[in-house]
């Protein structure tokens, strides 16, 4: 009896890795995502240390407020004033429009935007493209900020962004984008923490939801939005695992096509 097998001289096709099974490099991304969430929560709430991430806070708060603004315009509202401050938080005063839609847009926009940046942690080319968004987003809030230390730190963060292009063929940009992604995707947690621990002048959106719907307490809205953010984060992590299976070397080759370093 003869055994079946591939024809002579033909190598057997290697078994493919199931799409949802992470590679070794992707497992590292998953662990770093968890570590980043813990680190950001700590830094965001430690007096003194929280100042060090002011530029990234402004970037996160700025995008959050921009989502409110876009929703207000699309629903016929009028923007009366906008505040983006690393100490006071963000606030957009709006007249008209559809308040539930406008208020929801902030957390939804922050979460999805953060999820896109999380994808940058899986692929160097994606991280390179997102670095331009980050570069512009870091300096834009300075139009409303006059704190000299924050301006100096923003210059430092911009310098790191440029420098990371030249570290390990821009591999370092992946971890920068992943950090920004985690900060945005879990914005509701930092927003609530500011309310609880620092009594910031501008209320969190969860408090605003409570004001809009008095029968439902703020902590109910906090739980709803945290569950939403965890779900979106998991969805983008799974999307990253399925979509980006390249090794570090293959990523370097692919990314070199786009502004090689």
């Amino acid at each position: 009896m003869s055994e079946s097998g591939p024809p002579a001289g033909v190598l057997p096709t290697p078994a493919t890795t199931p799409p949802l099974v992470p590679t070794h490099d992707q497992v590292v991304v998953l662990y770093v995502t968890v570590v980043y969430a813990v680190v950001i929560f700590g830094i965001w709430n430690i007096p003194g240390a929280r100042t060090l991430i002011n530029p990234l806070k402004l970037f996160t708060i700025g995008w959050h407020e921009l989502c409110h603004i876009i929703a207000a315009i699309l629903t016929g509202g009028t923007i009366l004033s906008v505040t983006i401050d690393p100490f006071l938080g963000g606030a957009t005063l709006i007249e008209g429009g559809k308040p539930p839609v406008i208020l929801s847009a902030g957390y939804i926009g922050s979460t999805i935007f953060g999820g896109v940046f999380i994808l940058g942690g899986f692929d160097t080319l994606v991280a390179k493209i997102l670095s331009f968004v980050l570069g512009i987003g870091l300096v834009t809030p300075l139009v409303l900020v006059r704190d000299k230390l924050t301006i100096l730190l923003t210059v430092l963060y911009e310098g790191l962004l440029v420098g990371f292009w030249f570290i390990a063929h821009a591999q370092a940009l992946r971890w920068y984008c992943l950090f920004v992604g985690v900060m945005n995707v879990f914005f509701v947690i930092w927003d609530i923490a500011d309310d609880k621990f620092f009594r910031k002048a501008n209320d969190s959106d969860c408090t605003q939801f409570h004001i809009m719907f008095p029968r439902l307490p703020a902590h109910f809205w906090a739980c709803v939005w945290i569950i939403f953010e965890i779900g979106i984060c998991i969805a983008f992590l799974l999307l990253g695992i399925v979509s980006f299976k390249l090794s570090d070397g293959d990523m370097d080759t692919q990314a070199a096509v786009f502004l090689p370093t």
Side-chain angles (χ1 to χ4, degrees):
M1 179 181 296
S2 61
E3 296 183 0
S4 60
V10 177
L11 295 176
T13 303
T16 58
T17 304
L20 288 178
V21 176
T23 64
H24 176 269
D25 184 67
Q26 291 174 334
V27 170
V28 174
V29 174
L30 299 180
Y31 280 124
V32 173
T33 299
V34 175
V35 171
Y36 276 171
V38 175
V39 169
I40 293 170
F41 181 80
I43 296 176
W44 195 288
N45 294 290
I46 297 175
R50 59 193 266 117
T51 304
L52 297 177
I53 59 171
N54 272 354
L56 297 181
K57 287 173 65 177
L58 285 173
F59 176 76
T60 302
I61 294 170
W63 172 257
H64 180 85
E65 298 306 321
L66 180 60
C67 292
H68 286 313
I69 292 170
I70 293 172
I73 294 172
L74 292 178
T75 59
T78 302
I79 312 301
L80 301 179
S81 67
V82 179
T83 301
I84 300 175
D85 188 277
F87 307 106
L88 302 177
T92 301
L93 185 59
I94 298 165
E95 185 178 76
K98 296 183 178 179
V101 175
I102 296 169
L103 193 54
S104 299
Y107 285 151
I108 293 174
S110 292
T111 307
I112 294 176
F113 187 65
V116 173
F117 266 84
I118 283 177
L119 294 180
F122 287 92
D123 187 79
T124 307
L125 179 58
V126 175
K128 277 187 169 185
I129 295 170
L130 290 174
S131 69
F132 288 95
V133 178
L134 180 56
I136 296 172
L138 283 172
V139 298
T140 302
L142 295 184
V143 175
L144 302 175
V145 176
R146 294 295 178 267
D147 180 63
K148 293 181 179 178
L149 178 57
T150 299
I151 294 173
L152 179 62
L153 287 170
T154 300
V155 173
L156 174 62
Y157 277 88
E158 289 281 13
L160 287 174
L161 188 63
V162 174
F164 284 172
W165 270 75
F166 301 94
I167 297 178
H169 301 287
Q171 286 274 348
L173 283 177
R174 292 171 53 205
W175 310 113
Y176 199 153
C177 286
L178 183 61
F179 189 90
V180 172
V182 173
M183 182 174 286
N184 277 271
V185 83
F186 289 119
F187 179 74
V188 63
I189 297 177
W190 332 131
D191 199 26
I192 295 168
D194 275 347
D195 252 5
K196 183 175 179 59
F197 301 123
F198 295 94
R199 306 297 179 185
K200 64 178 182 177
N202 297 319
D203 293 331
S204 70
D205 285 2
C206 290
T207 300
Q208 291 297 317
F209 270 109
H210 169 57
I211 294 172
M212 189 179 299
F213 304 101
R215 293 185 178 182
L216 299 172
H219 65 261
F220 167 81
W221 292 108
C223 290
V224 168
W225 285 110
I226 288 173
I227 292 171
F228 169 78
E229 292 186 340
I230 291 174
I232 295 298
C233 181
I234 292 173
F236 272 96
L237 287 172
L238 291 175
L239 179 60
I241 290 172
V242 171
S243 303
F244 305 107
K245 292 290 188 181
L246 298 179
S247 65
D248 286 353
D250 291 335
M251 273 191 282
D252 291 344
T253 301
Q254 180 195 59
V257 177
F258 182 74
L259 299 178
T261 54

